[in-house]
Amino acid sequence: MERKMFGKVVAALRKEQIDFNSGNSWSQERLAEETGLTTRIVGKIERGSQVRLDRGTLQELARVFRLTSMERREFFSMASEITDDAIVRADLNHQEVFAQVWTTLGTLCTPAFLMDSFGDLVGANRAVLDFHKLNWSQFNAARCSAGNVNILSLLLAPDAPIRRVLGSGWHAIALANMRQWRVMTLRYRHTNRFRNLFTTLSAYPDFQMLWAASRRRVEDDNSRLRSHFYTHGVYGPVAYSVFTNISLSSCGDLYLATFVPQNRDTGAVFQNLADRSNRPLALTPWPNPSLPCNAYA
């Protein structure tokens, strides 16, 4: 990532830190105090004019920002002087990448959905919609509130039927999605799209609670594998893992999440849902206009 862009991300992460005595975001002076850097160096990092970013400096920034293991991986990668558009091969056509992932989504016989880098639902098969009892009225409501159909907006809306369907599993599933969302959006924290989305999601009563819980070191996130065991509001006890595959493109990443049953009863539920129809439904346009092709920011 270019140094100026990385600096904007560092500034955005600093502003996410709240001084509980004043209720204000950290200043550059406070970040310098927490990391042992000088205010001058912090300013140069945020402006993108700091020539050398050594390991110790990056580790201190990651520590005070309380980044999880997965977030640290993204953060240290962003600090590289290799530009983002050099990571994805120039001959890798983003439309071909999308077509391949979309075709895979249509062949899966278990609940599955596709997200972009902001957690906006690009598409979903009918099995996952039926499993969560989602319908078009909910998608339209999500579009009105957040602009796109976002995974967190569907989970956090207080009156959303999905909360009743998930029952006792709602909190763990919402927290797992929040942790993943933090990693997915890390390199876009400085963008208008993230700021607007964060403001919208912050209006939901449970957002701040989940956001704070997702930052706790004792609940460090070091894997994209999610396992859930709970009593579903319609199908009773279920047990499944969610595997997330990442496809890179010059227009941002695509995240394909697939539910894999962990016992026969859950497998039977998924099979029954898949027998109805597995044709994917398009929910949010891709590429996301907030992520212009050939650039990650």
Side-chain angles (χ1 to χ4, degrees):
M1 174 175 279
E2 295 180 356
R3 282 291 164 82
K4 287 187 178 180
M5 207 62 66
F6 178 72
K8 291 181 179 180
V9 172
V10 171
L13 289 170
R14 168 176 62 79
K15 293 172 184 176
E16 288 178 9
Q17 313 307 310
I18 304 298
D19 186 324
F20 290 102
N21 292 324
S22 66
N24 297 324
S25 297
W26 281 9
S27 62
Q28 289 185 346
E29 290 76 10
R30 174 65 184 275
L31 180 57
E33 178 184 337
E34 293 289 335
T35 57
L37 301 171
T38 65
T39 303
R40 178 173 173 271
I41 293 297
V42 169
K44 290 181 68 176
I45 291 174
E46 293 190 359
R47 291 192 301 273
S49 59
Q50 177 67 13
V51 175
R52 185 169 177 267
L53 291 173
D54 58 53
R55 182 176 64 180
T57 297
L58 294 173
Q59 288 179 332
E60 278 302 294
L61 288 171
R63 180 186 64 81
V64 300
F65 291 151
R66 291 179 290 172
L67 302 182
T68 64
S69 296
M70 294 297 288
E71 289 174 327
R72 283 169 175 257
R73 187 172 184 269
E74 283 289 304
F75 186 72
F76 296 146
S77 174
M78 286 188 292
S80 168
E81 293 188 76
I82 298 175
T83 58
D84 287 330
D85 58 0
I87 295 175
V88 179
R89 294 199 331 260
D91 62 339
L92 191 63
N93 186 285
H94 72 276
Q95 294 177 335
E96 293 177 358
V97 173
F98 177 79
Q100 182 181 34
V101 179
W102 190 260
T103 298
T104 300
L105 175 61
T107 61
L108 294 172
C109 294
T110 61
F113 59 89
L114 183 64
M115 297 183 293
D116 67 14
S117 298
F118 290 107
D120 292 336
L121 288 177
V122 176
N125 63 13
R126 291 187 180 275
V128 78
L129 302 184
D130 289 344
F131 184 65
H132 291 127
K133 299 304 175 184
L134 296 169
N135 55 51
W136 281 109
S137 63
Q138 293 168 266
F139 296 143
N140 289 332
R143 288 192 182 97
C144 292
S145 63
N148 289 333
V149 182
N150 188 271
I151 183 67
L152 289 183
S153 67
L154 290 175
L155 285 167
L156 292 174
D159 57 347
I162 190 173
R163 296 179 70 126
R164 295 191 295 273
V165 169
L166 294 177
S168 61
W170 178 86
H171 183 271
I173 291 172
L175 181 56
N177 278 276
M178 177 66 79
R179 289 172 180 158
Q180 182 173 0
W181 188 72
R182 285 175 55 91
V183 177
M184 291 162 54
T185 61
L186 187 63
R187 64 179 56 232
Y188 308 113
R189 297 286 177 85
H190 63 293
T191 63
N192 289 332
R193 170 57 182 154
F194 178 83
R195 286 192 289 266
N196 293 336
L197 183 56
F198 189 91
T199 298
T200 299
L201 294 173
S202 294
Y204 293 120
D206 293 312
F207 179 82
Q208 293 297 340
M209 175 270 293
L210 291 170
W211 177 262
S214 69
R215 297 163 60 108
R216 293 173 187 162
R217 187 178 299 275
V218 294
E219 296 175 338
D220 193 41
D221 177 14
N222 60 4
S223 173
R224 291 188 173 92
L225 174 65
R226 315 289 187 218
S227 292
H228 300 298
F229 310 88
Y230 62 96
T231 300
H232 192 280
V234 176
Y235 300 109
V238 292
Y240 59 89
S241 294
V242 181
F243 290 84
T244 303
N245 178 74
I246 304 176
S247 296
L248 305 183
S249 86
S250 58
C251 295
D253 301 337
L254 286 166
Y255 297 79
L256 178 60
T258 305
F259 293 22
V260 178
Q262 294 189 0
N263 58 38
R264 291 184 178 181
D265 291 340
T266 305
V269 170
F270 288 174
Q271 184 61 53
N272 182 52
L273 293 172
D275 285 345
R276 301 176 189 179
S277 174
N278 62 357
R279 180 175 63 85
L281 299 177
L283 300 174
T284 297
W286 192 87
N288 191 311
S290 300
L291 297 172
C293 292
N294 301 317
Y296 278 88

